[in-house]
Amino acid sequence: MEKINLRAVFEKSGRAVFISHLDLLRTMQRAIKRSKIPVWYSQGFNPHIYLNFPLALSLGVTSRTEFMDFSVTENVDYDRIRDMLNEKMPEGLRIISVAEPVHPNKDIVFAEYIIRFRSEAGTEKMREELEKMMALPVIEIDKRSKSKGTVKLDVKPHFDIIKAEAEGDALTVFIRLPAGLKLNINSNVFVDTFSAVSGIQFSNIYAERTKILLSDGENFV
């Protein structure tokens, strides 16, 4: 049986940001089944649709650049596959494009985010506390490791803030964080660390993953 590997780029927004990673897998499997595309199933006693998400997204985070790997058994126009899937997608999930993968998942090294903070403390106070935090010699957190349990990690070298700017009543932070197999620090880690170090209570936080990148800064595709 022919097996053609494909990679879908999709967005996750609105109410869909509260779909867990496991539920996302199930949702995508249902959409693929209903779309009637000639999807490839794993072999063995319990065949199932093979799906792989190169980089899981934290609950509550929006993204316009998520990836899903799957395979089909026939040559079908990629735009047609996109449209067939979108007809069966729930609100907040939308396939942007389908193509053959270029890079292996192990090549993912960074992810970029936009994080927007609101607090009664005000934007100037938030900006001031952010600058104080990033001026610290060490920013240590507890991080769980499968092999070593809970370990101390200095995240200061890994918080690569591109820029921070006040927009109305919000402080918007553009940040690059390590992602992938070697080290993965998601946006929630930055949010929790900023809150703990600054002592600020945020009334509203919006986070969006905007890019998944290779080691040279090029987009993962």
Side-chain angles (χ1 to χ4, degrees):
M1 180 185 295
E2 186 178 17
K3 180 184 176 186
I4 304 167
N5 296 326
L6 297 177
R7 176 167 290 156
V9 182
F10 68 96
E11 65 178 24
K12 189 180 183 189
S13 61
R15 292 185 296 178
V17 303
F18 299 108
I19 298 175
S20 70
H21 187 64
L22 181 57
D23 285 338
L24 176 65
L25 172 64
R26 294 168 177 158
T27 300
M28 289 298 194
Q29 286 176 331
R30 285 196 297 269
I32 288 172
K33 286 180 182 178
R34 292 169 180 167
S35 72
K36 305 297 184 182
I37 65 172
V39 67
W40 180 84
Y41 281 77
S42 66
Q43 307 301 303
F45 293 105
N46 183 30
H48 60 276
I49 296 174
Y50 164 80
L51 289 181
N52 182 53
F53 299 88
L55 190 63
L57 184 67
S58 299
L59 197 68
V61 178
T62 296
S63 179
R64 312 291 177 185
T65 181
E66 293 306 290
F67 295 89
M68 176 179 70
D69 292 345
F70 63 105
S71 302
V72 293
T73 58
E74 301 173 17
N75 272 310
V76 181
D77 179 78
Y78 297 157
D79 288 347
R80 177 62 181 148
I81 292 176
R82 177 200 62 202
D83 294 343
M84 291 169 72
L85 288 174
N86 278 331
E87 288 176 1
K88 305 301 178 182
M89 285 290 165
E91 180 184 350
L93 292 175
R94 184 176 70 90
I95 306 295
I96 299 170
S97 64
V98 175
E100 293 184 39
V102 177
H103 301 287
N105 298 343
K106 65 180 179 62
D107 286 354
I108 294 173
V109 177
F110 302 110
E112 289 187 3
Y113 298 85
I114 295 172
I115 309 174
R116 190 167 293 117
F117 300 90
R118 285 184 170 84
S119 170
E120 291 182 358
T123 55
E124 288 307 313
K125 177 64 174 178
M126 287 189 286
R127 188 200 295 271
E128 179 185 320
E129 291 298 328
L130 179 63
E131 291 174 354
K132 285 182 181 178
M133 181 179 78
M134 296 308 299
L136 294 172
V138 173
I139 306 173
E140 203 168 58
I141 66 166
D142 291 328
K143 186 169 176 62
R144 281 179 292 183
S145 165
K146 290 182 179 179
S147 59
K148 300 178 182 178
T150 301
V151 297
K152 295 291 185 182
L153 174 67
D154 178 14
V155 292
K156 168 72 180 295
H158 306 299
F159 286 173
D160 182 8
I161 294 178
I162 300 166
K163 64 177 178 178
E165 57 187 25
E167 298 179 328
D169 63 344
L171 177 69
T172 302
V173 178
F174 299 78
I175 188 168
R176 178 179 290 186
L177 298 170
L181 297 176
K182 187 176 180 180
L183 178 62
N184 189 62
I185 298 177
N186 61 43
S187 59
N188 288 347
V189 172
F190 175 74
V191 169
D192 292 344
T193 303
F194 184 25
S195 177
V197 173
S198 68
I200 295 175
Q201 288 189 332
F202 300 111
S203 57
N204 182 272
I205 298 169
Y206 169 85
E208 178 181 337
R209 185 150 72 191
T210 57
K211 294 180 182 179
I212 295 176
L213 303 170
L214 308 174
S215 60
D216 60 2
E218 291 297 309
N219 287 322
F220 173 79
V221 290

